[in-house]
Amino acid sequence: MDIDFPNGKKLRLVIGDITKIRVDAIVNAANSGLRGGGGVDGAIHRAGGSAIMRELDEVRGKTGGCPTGSAVVTAAGALPAQYVFHAVGPIYRDGRHGEPAQLAACYRKCLELAEERNVRTISFPAISTGAYGYPAQEAANIALETVAAHLDGAETRVREVLLVLFDAGFYQLYQRTASHSLSNWIK
Ligand code: APR
């Protein structure tokens, strides 16, 4: 599904493996220790190669890691991209411990990093919805609203944002949610 904004920017919902799709920047769903893991994180390190972890080791050495709601940048190794933005989503407890603001902050931080680096195309996984237990519907609302608000803005150089959903169930949920919340832009 494509959502076209009046300024020519595009939000795309895609089913698939985020490591296989060519973009300028791929967002990873990382942990605050930047130590790798399963899910998207595992797939990104496997496909990108060990250079990504070596770069994260340096970042960790300097800063101790990355706080929840933020992201750090590395090169993308063998991935079909220039950068990986390692975003740290919240671990979901009950939604009353700042999780919505932290999840929105992840998306916003990655979009800021993209603007700073002249990234035109960027792909996001459904951050926090796997091991971190964020309810899919609430995560979809936040992802779609945050990305749409950015793309609709006047000053964005990012021209295409892909939300990459790993399975058909997630894809349908995001599609339904987009049809409701972004209905004025849907083709
Ligand atoms: N491409 C796209 N999406 C994927 C892929 C992939 N290759 N693999 C998994 N997903 C989906 C999952 O189905 C889920 O919807 O990404 C979403 C996020 O799941 P996780 O990868 O588990 O990320 P998260 O919930 O943010 O948990 C982060 O898990 O892997 C560890 O190191 C990571 O500790 C961190 C935690």
PDB file of all heavy atoms in Angstrom, residues 28-50:
ATOM      1  N   ASN A  28      17.224  -0.540  12.565  1.00  0.00           N
ATOM      2  CA  ASN A  28      17.277  -1.786  13.332  1.00  0.00           C
ATOM      3  C   ASN A  28      16.503  -1.619  14.625  1.00  0.00           C
ATOM      4  O   ASN A  28      16.441  -0.510  15.169  1.00  0.00           O
ATOM      5  CB  ASN A  28      18.757  -2.097  13.634  1.00  0.00           C
ATOM      6  CG  ASN A  28      18.959  -3.425  14.356  1.00  0.00           C
ATOM      7  OD1 ASN A  28      18.053  -4.265  14.374  1.00  0.00           O
ATOM      8  ND2 ASN A  28      20.134  -3.610  14.929  1.00  0.00           N
ATOM      9  N   ALA A  29      15.908  -2.714  15.124  1.00  0.00           N
ATOM     10  CA  ALA A  29      15.269  -2.715  16.453  1.00  0.00           C
ATOM     11  C   ALA A  29      16.286  -3.289  17.432  1.00  0.00           C
ATOM     12  O   ALA A  29      16.367  -4.505  17.616  1.00  0.00           O
ATOM     13  CB  ALA A  29      13.992  -3.554  16.423  1.00  0.00           C
ATOM     14  N   ALA A  30      17.084  -2.416  18.022  1.00  0.00           N
ATOM     15  CA  ALA A  30      18.242  -2.822  18.821  1.00  0.00           C
ATOM     16  C   ALA A  30      17.910  -2.796  20.314  1.00  0.00           C
ATOM     17  O   ALA A  30      16.785  -2.492  20.711  1.00  0.00           O
ATOM     18  CB  ALA A  30      19.406  -1.872  18.520  1.00  0.00           C
ATOM     19  N   ASN A  31      18.909  -3.116  21.140  1.00  0.00           N
ATOM     20  CA  ASN A  31      18.779  -2.958  22.602  1.00  0.00           C
ATOM     21  C   ASN A  31      19.766  -1.906  23.069  1.00  0.00           C
ATOM     22  O   ASN A  31      20.708  -1.557  22.346  1.00  0.00           O
ATOM     23  CB  ASN A  31      18.976  -4.296  23.320  1.00  0.00           C
ATOM     24  CG  ASN A  31      20.287  -4.958  22.940  1.00  0.00           C
ATOM     25  OD1 ASN A  31      21.361  -4.456  23.228  1.00  0.00           O
ATOM     26  ND2 ASN A  31      20.185  -6.071  22.226  1.00  0.00           N
ATOM     27  N   SER A  32      19.585  -1.412  24.285  1.00  0.00           N
ATOM     28  CA  SER A  32      20.373  -0.250  24.714  1.00  0.00           C
ATOM     29  C   SER A  32      21.846  -0.592  24.914  1.00  0.00           C
ATOM     30  O   SER A  32      22.692   0.298  24.898  1.00  0.00           O
ATOM     31  CB  SER A  32      19.779   0.383  25.970  1.00  0.00           C
ATOM     32  OG  SER A  32      19.655  -0.583  26.957  1.00  0.00           O
ATOM     33  N   GLY A  33      22.179  -1.888  25.041  1.00  0.00           N
ATOM     34  CA  GLY A  33      23.584  -2.270  25.103  1.00  0.00           C
ATOM     35  C   GLY A  33      24.221  -2.375  23.727  1.00  0.00           C
ATOM     36  O   GLY A  33      25.434  -2.520  23.604  1.00  0.00           O
ATOM     37  N   LEU A  34      23.430  -2.280  22.679  1.00  0.00           N
ATOM     38  CA  LEU A  34      23.893  -2.371  21.281  1.00  0.00           C
ATOM     39  C   LEU A  34      24.653  -3.675  21.035  1.00  0.00           C
ATOM     40  O   LEU A  34      25.619  -3.703  20.275  1.00  0.00           O
ATOM     41  CB  LEU A  34      24.759  -1.152  20.908  1.00  0.00           C
ATOM     42  CG  LEU A  34      24.100   0.222  21.086  1.00  0.00           C
ATOM     43  CD1 LEU A  34      25.116   1.337  20.872  1.00  0.00           C
ATOM     44  CD2 LEU A  34      22.919   0.395  20.126  1.00  0.00           C
ATOM     45  N   ARG A  35      24.226  -4.746  21.685  1.00  0.00           N
ATOM     46  CA  ARG A  35      24.983  -5.996  21.646  1.00  0.00           C
ATOM     47  C   ARG A  35      24.418  -7.032  20.684  1.00  0.00           C
ATOM     48  O   ARG A  35      24.836  -8.177  20.687  1.00  0.00           O
ATOM     49  CB  ARG A  35      25.071  -6.588  23.049  1.00  0.00           C
ATOM     50  CG  ARG A  35      25.909  -5.729  23.972  1.00  0.00           C
ATOM     51  CD  ARG A  35      26.130  -6.375  25.320  1.00  0.00           C
ATOM     52  NE  ARG A  35      26.825  -5.467  26.233  1.00  0.00           N
ATOM     53  CZ  ARG A  35      28.125  -5.257  26.235  1.00  0.00           C
ATOM     54  NH1 ARG A  35      28.905  -5.893  25.395  1.00  0.00           N
ATOM     55  NH2 ARG A  35      28.667  -4.399  27.082  1.00  0.00           N
ATOM     56  N   GLY A  36      23.455  -6.674  19.894  1.00  0.00           N
ATOM     57  CA  GLY A  36      22.850  -7.638  18.979  1.00  0.00           C
ATOM     58  C   GLY A  36      21.832  -8.493  19.713  1.00  0.00           C
ATOM     59  O   GLY A  36      21.664  -8.372  20.929  1.00  0.00           O
ATOM     60  N   GLY A  37      21.121  -9.326  18.959  1.00  0.00           N
ATOM     61  CA  GLY A  37      20.082 -10.152  19.573  1.00  0.00           C
ATOM     62  C   GLY A  37      19.396 -10.980  18.510  1.00  0.00           C
ATOM     63  O   GLY A  37      20.006 -11.315  17.492  1.00  0.00           O
ATOM     64  N   GLY A  38      18.129 -11.299  18.728  1.00  0.00           N
ATOM     65  CA  GLY A  38      17.366 -12.070  17.741  1.00  0.00           C
ATOM     66  C   GLY A  38      16.567 -11.141  16.845  1.00  0.00           C
ATOM     67  O   GLY A  38      16.917  -9.974  16.687  1.00  0.00           O
ATOM     68  N   GLY A  39      15.478 -11.651  16.275  1.00  0.00           N
ATOM     69  CA  GLY A  39      14.566 -10.819  15.490  1.00  0.00           C
ATOM     70  C   GLY A  39      15.275 -10.037  14.393  1.00  0.00           C
ATOM     71  O   GLY A  39      16.183 -10.539  13.738  1.00  0.00           O
ATOM     72  N   VAL A  40      14.845  -8.802  14.210  1.00  0.00           N
ATOM     73  CA  VAL A  40      15.431  -7.936  13.181  1.00  0.00           C
ATOM     74  C   VAL A  40      16.922  -7.735  13.441  1.00  0.00           C
ATOM     75  O   VAL A  40      17.735  -7.727  12.519  1.00  0.00           O
ATOM     76  CB  VAL A  40      14.795  -6.526  13.198  1.00  0.00           C
ATOM     77  CG1 VAL A  40      15.304  -5.704  12.029  1.00  0.00           C
ATOM     78  CG2 VAL A  40      13.299  -6.588  13.143  1.00  0.00           C
ATOM     79  N   ASP A  41      17.262  -7.536  14.702  1.00  0.00           N
ATOM     80  CA  ASP A  41      18.654  -7.273  15.083  1.00  0.00           C
ATOM     81  C   ASP A  41      19.559  -8.418  14.612  1.00  0.00           C
ATOM     82  O   ASP A  41      20.610  -8.179  13.979  1.00  0.00           O
ATOM     83  CB  ASP A  41      18.689  -7.137  16.619  1.00  0.00           C
ATOM     84  CG  ASP A  41      19.857  -6.319  17.126  1.00  0.00           C
ATOM     85  OD1 ASP A  41      20.648  -5.833  16.295  1.00  0.00           O
ATOM     86  OD2 ASP A  41      19.971  -6.163  18.358  1.00  0.00           O
ATOM     87  N   GLY A  42      19.142  -9.647  14.888  1.00  0.00           N
ATOM     88  CA  GLY A  42      19.917 -10.807  14.455  1.00  0.00           C
ATOM     89  C   GLY A  42      20.039 -10.853  12.939  1.00  0.00           C
ATOM     90  O   GLY A  42      21.128 -11.077  12.398  1.00  0.00           O
ATOM     91  N   ALA A  43      18.925 -10.611  12.263  1.00  0.00           N
ATOM     92  CA  ALA A  43      18.918 -10.673  10.793  1.00  0.00           C
ATOM     93  C   ALA A  43      19.854  -9.601  10.210  1.00  0.00           C
ATOM     94  O   ALA A  43      20.586  -9.853   9.245  1.00  0.00           O
ATOM     95  CB  ALA A  43      17.489 -10.487  10.275  1.00  0.00           C
ATOM     96  N   ILE A  44      19.843  -8.418  10.795  1.00  0.00           N
ATOM     97  CA  ILE A  44      20.675  -7.314  10.283  1.00  0.00           C
ATOM     98  C   ILE A  44      22.163  -7.624  10.481  1.00  0.00           C
ATOM     99  O   ILE A  44      22.974  -7.445   9.562  1.00  0.00           O
ATOM    100  CB  ILE A  44      20.245  -5.982  10.940  1.00  0.00           C
ATOM    101  CG1 ILE A  44      18.956  -5.511  10.251  1.00  0.00           C
ATOM    102  CG2 ILE A  44      21.355  -4.930  10.882  1.00  0.00           C
ATOM    103  CD1 ILE A  44      18.383  -4.216  10.746  1.00  0.00           C
ATOM    104  N   HIS A  45      22.525  -8.125  11.636  1.00  0.00           N
ATOM    105  CA  HIS A  45      23.941  -8.445  11.863  1.00  0.00           C
ATOM    106  C   HIS A  45      24.393  -9.626  10.993  1.00  0.00           C
ATOM    107  O   HIS A  45      25.514  -9.615  10.475  1.00  0.00           O
ATOM    108  CB  HIS A  45      24.205  -8.697  13.347  1.00  0.00           C
ATOM    109  CG  HIS A  45      24.256  -7.427  14.149  1.00  0.00           C
ATOM    110  ND1 HIS A  45      25.345  -6.593  14.133  1.00  0.00           N
ATOM    111  CD2 HIS A  45      23.339  -6.838  14.949  1.00  0.00           C
ATOM    112  CE1 HIS A  45      25.109  -5.538  14.919  1.00  0.00           C
ATOM    113  NE2 HIS A  45      23.880  -5.667  15.425  1.00  0.00           N
ATOM    114  N   ARG A  46      23.524 -10.617  10.820  1.00  0.00           N
ATOM    115  CA  ARG A  46      23.892 -11.759   9.962  1.00  0.00           C
ATOM    116  C   ARG A  46      24.104 -11.302   8.525  1.00  0.00           C
ATOM    117  O   ARG A  46      25.090 -11.637   7.890  1.00  0.00           O
ATOM    118  CB  ARG A  46      22.787 -12.819   9.975  1.00  0.00           C
ATOM    119  CG  ARG A  46      22.922 -13.831  11.106  1.00  0.00           C
ATOM    120  CD  ARG A  46      22.034 -15.055  10.856  1.00  0.00           C
ATOM    121  NE  ARG A  46      20.636 -14.711  10.658  1.00  0.00           N
ATOM    122  CZ  ARG A  46      19.770 -14.453  11.641  1.00  0.00           C
ATOM    123  NH1 ARG A  46      20.162 -14.497  12.900  1.00  0.00           N
ATOM    124  NH2 ARG A  46      18.518 -14.160  11.383  1.00  0.00           N
ATOM    125  N   ALA A  47      23.168 -10.495   8.030  1.00  0.00           N
ATOM    126  CA  ALA A  47      23.244 -10.092   6.615  1.00  0.00           C
ATOM    127  C   ALA A  47      24.293  -8.993   6.395  1.00  0.00           C
ATOM    128  O   ALA A  47      24.897  -8.919   5.334  1.00  0.00           O
ATOM    129  CB  ALA A  47      21.868  -9.607   6.144  1.00  0.00           C
ATOM    130  N   GLY A  48      24.507  -8.158   7.395  1.00  0.00           N
ATOM    131  CA  GLY A  48      25.415  -7.017   7.216  1.00  0.00           C
ATOM    132  C   GLY A  48      26.868  -7.359   7.461  1.00  0.00           C
ATOM    133  O   GLY A  48      27.767  -6.707   6.942  1.00  0.00           O
ATOM    134  N   GLY A  49      27.119  -8.391   8.288  1.00  0.00           N
ATOM    135  CA  GLY A  49      28.495  -8.794   8.587  1.00  0.00           C
ATOM    136  C   GLY A  49      29.039  -8.143   9.851  1.00  0.00           C
ATOM    137  O   GLY A  49      28.417  -7.249  10.438  1.00  0.00           O
ATOM    138  N   SER A  50      30.244  -8.579  10.225  1.00  0.00           N
ATOM    139  CA  SER A  50      30.802  -8.234  11.549  1.00  0.00           C
ATOM    140  C   SER A  50      31.257  -6.781  11.675  1.00  0.00           C
ATOM    141  O   SER A  50      31.475  -6.286  12.785  1.00  0.00           O
ATOM    142  CB  SER A  50      31.958  -9.172  11.873  1.00  0.00           C
ATOM    143  OG  SER A  50      32.907  -9.101  10.829  1.00  0.00           O
TER     144      SER A  50
END
